Amino acid sequence: MDFASGEAIVGQMIRKFIRTVGLKIAQTIGTPIKDFPSGRSLGRALVIPWRGKIHIIGLKAAARPMFQPQKRLTYWKQEIVFTEHPLPDFPNIRKTERPSPSEIADD
Amino acid sequence: MKTVLNLILSHQPAAAVSKMFVHWNQCVPNESILIAYGGTKSEFDAIQHNQKFFVDDPRLRTRDHQREFQSYSRLFQAAAEFLERQGDQFRFVHFAEYDHLPLVPDLNERQIERLTAEGADLLGFHVHRVDGTNDPHFLYHMADDKFMSYWSGISRRREPEVVLSMCGSGSVWNREAFRAVCAVKEPFPIYMELYLPTLAHHLGFRVRDFGEQNHFVRVLKDETSYVDHAREEGAWTLHPVKRLWDK
């Protein structure tokens, strides 16, 4: 059986500690993230653009990013917002007498 | 007629399992309990309970569960075979990990009542739709092209892209949904907290959430000291309670 060396274990603990502290900071001073349709708070997270990507650090909720619909047409600015799926409330389609939707031909 | 099969997964020593039985017997009939054991074979042999089976599956015995895609498929399939051998005795299956503690003497009655009221086939804790989100388990699976195409291939539903997630420590199933999910061979490793609710959903079953009971099912902090407090607050079950059998 292989055992990790003491040095490796300490290194692992230090990395875990730094990650925990970093997350705590992100969730304390980060941008407030809201569910766009309801305005409900999803927590705080650091939002950092970097090398053509947007990094989200510390967000706990499972949120979907989407571009915000615009009542006023602008060519120079768009906004990305977040939203959550509604709680799953799909029917049982085995008990229905009609065929399941995926079995209905489109034409 | 026995109604609910209480399927309990444990890997603890036989002495701890005996203590666990004493507690469980205050909540459900002893003959309704089926032990799925993931510990050592010698400890399994020492467990004093007739309804038990040994799970020798590396996909169950993971250490980093999420990254190693922990699976309950083999243990559920063994339970489904047990269910078949019992004929029509059990109409529902309540699955619980050893640290998901029952707290009320009429637990199974409450579960059936909730399942019926919701018109559900599967009741889970913290059931969420996670496709398209930053859910880490979903994103980890999305790195594999096979993941979404698998659901498209088997789904009976209009939206094959739906992916559900639930806490894996406890769930309640009706017999039909449990058997149907167990009859499907896991196509490639998928973490069970995504695989089980998503498969049930795409087979056409209704997956619902335990609502206010979610509050008593958490992931990280051990709740052993809060058993009485949780019961007073209205908990039917509590998770994780890891040290109760050590005493």
Side-chain angles (χ1 to χ4, degrees):
Chain A
M1 188 181 288
D2 294 331
F3 291 98
S5 69
E7 201 175 317
I9 291 170
V10 170
Q12 204 174 22
M13 285 171 69
I14 290 172
R15 278 199 300 276
K16 203 171 176 183
F17 176 74
I18 291 171
R19 192 183 65 178
T20 305
V21 171
L23 275 178
K24 206 68 180 169
I25 292 169
Q27 289 160 357
T28 305
I29 65 164
T31 308
I33 308 283
K34 289 181 178 173
D35 177 53
F36 171 64
S38 69
R40 196 170 63 81
S41 171
L42 300 176
R44 285 176 179 264
L46 288 178
V47 180
I48 303 171
W50 181 252
R51 293 187 173 180
K53 292 184 282 189
I54 297 170
H55 296 250
I56 312 291
I57 300 171
L59 182 59
K60 284 184 177 174
R64 284 184 297 155
M66 57 179 271
F67 280 96
Q68 182 176 9
Q70 294 184 308
K71 285 183 180 170
R72 185 172 64 87
L73 175 66
T74 64
Y75 289 97
W76 62 278
K77 177 180 78 100
Q78 292 81 34
E79 293 170 350
I80 294 174
V81 296
F82 294 90
T83 181
E84 283 185 310
H85 283 294
L87 285 177
D89 191 9
F90 299 95
N92 178 317
I93 59 169
R94 297 174 74 96
K95 290 173 185 162
T96 54
E97 291 182 2
R98 63 186 175 80
S100 73
S102 61
E103 291 166 357
I104 300 171
D106 287 329
D107 53 352
Chain B
M1 184 178 77
K2 287 177 275 188
T3 304
V4 180
L5 175 67
N6 290 285
L7 171 62
I8 307 172
L9 172 64
S10 178
H11 64 276
Q12 293 206 302
V17 174
S18 294
K19 290 180 188 173
M20 185 180 77
F21 271 124
V22 172
H23 180 92
W24 271 83
N25 286 336
Q26 296 169 10
C27 302
V28 303
N30 192 49
E31 62 273 17
S32 74
I33 294 175
L34 173 64
I35 292 287
Y37 196 69
T40 65
K41 188 72 170 66
S42 57
E43 290 292 337
F44 171 73
D45 292 337
I47 294 172
Q48 301 295 311
H49 187 68
N50 288 334
Q51 296 184 160
K52 61 178 181 177
F53 63 89
F54 185 68
V55 189
D56 187 13
D57 178 9
R59 293 282 316 288
L60 173 69
R61 296 155 188 264
T62 49
R63 294 190 72 81
D64 188 340
H65 306 316
Q66 295 84 3
R67 289 183 178 85
E68 295 175 43
F69 306 111
Q70 188 183 38
S71 171
Y72 284 172
S73 294
R74 286 265 293 275
L75 100 83
F76 271 32
Q77 281 158 6
E81 288 166 15
F82 173 87
L83 207 60
E84 290 307 304
R85 289 198 298 274
Q86 304 301 308
D88 293 331
Q89 286 189 54
F90 297 106
R91 290 167 46 215
F92 305 93
V93 178
H94 166 216
F95 169 74
E97 293 175 353
Y98 79 98
D99 57 350
H100 197 143
L101 193 73
L103 295 182
V104 289
D106 56 347
L107 175 64
N108 289 159
E109 288 79 3
R110 293 184 193 213
Q111 290 168 331
I112 295 170
E113 193 179 331
R114 179 65 63 89
L115 195 81
T116 308
E118 291 284 354
D121 302 291
L122 163 58
L123 275 180
F125 293 95
H126 301 285
V127 175
H128 291 290
R129 180 177 172 183
V130 296
D131 52 284
T133 73
N134 60 322
D135 177 83
H137 303 162
F138 170 74
L139 295 178
Y140 187 45
H141 283 77
M142 278 296 284
D144 184 347
D145 293 339
K146 296 193 298 289
F147 182 65
M148 292 310 283
S149 58
Y150 174 68
W151 302 119
S152 298
I154 66 153
S155 184
R156 297 167 58 108
R157 294 184 181 270
R158 189 192 296 271
E159 298 176 286
E161 72 277 12
V162 172
V163 177
L164 302 183
S165 169
M166 72 177 184
C167 181
S169 68
S171 50
V172 178
W173 304 68
N174 71 22
R175 181 188 175 96
E176 187 193 1
F178 188 79
R179 288 178 62 215
V181 163
C182 293
V184 176
K185 186 174 181 296
E186 194 176 323
F188 49 88
I190 303 175
Y191 183 43
M192 55 89 177
E193 293 199 350
L194 296 186
Y195 179 68
L196 295 171
T198 306
L199 178 59
H201 169 77
H202 285 300
L203 292 177
F205 295 102
R206 178 166 160 80
V207 182
R208 289 288 282 164
D209 184 80
F210 266 106
E212 86 290 349
Q213 291 297 317
N214 286 335
H215 176 63
F216 305 106
V217 176
R218 295 166 192 154
V219 181
L220 296 176
K221 188 173 155 236
D222 185 81
E223 303 283 346
T224 303
S225 317
Y226 298 96
V227 170
D228 292 333
H229 183 65
R231 193 183 277 118
E232 285 167 15
E233 281 199 330
W236 303 357
T237 61
L238 185 64
H239 174 270
V241 181
K242 293 188 183 294
R243 291 181 284 110
L244 200 62
W245 322 124
D246 298 344
K247 293 174 183 172

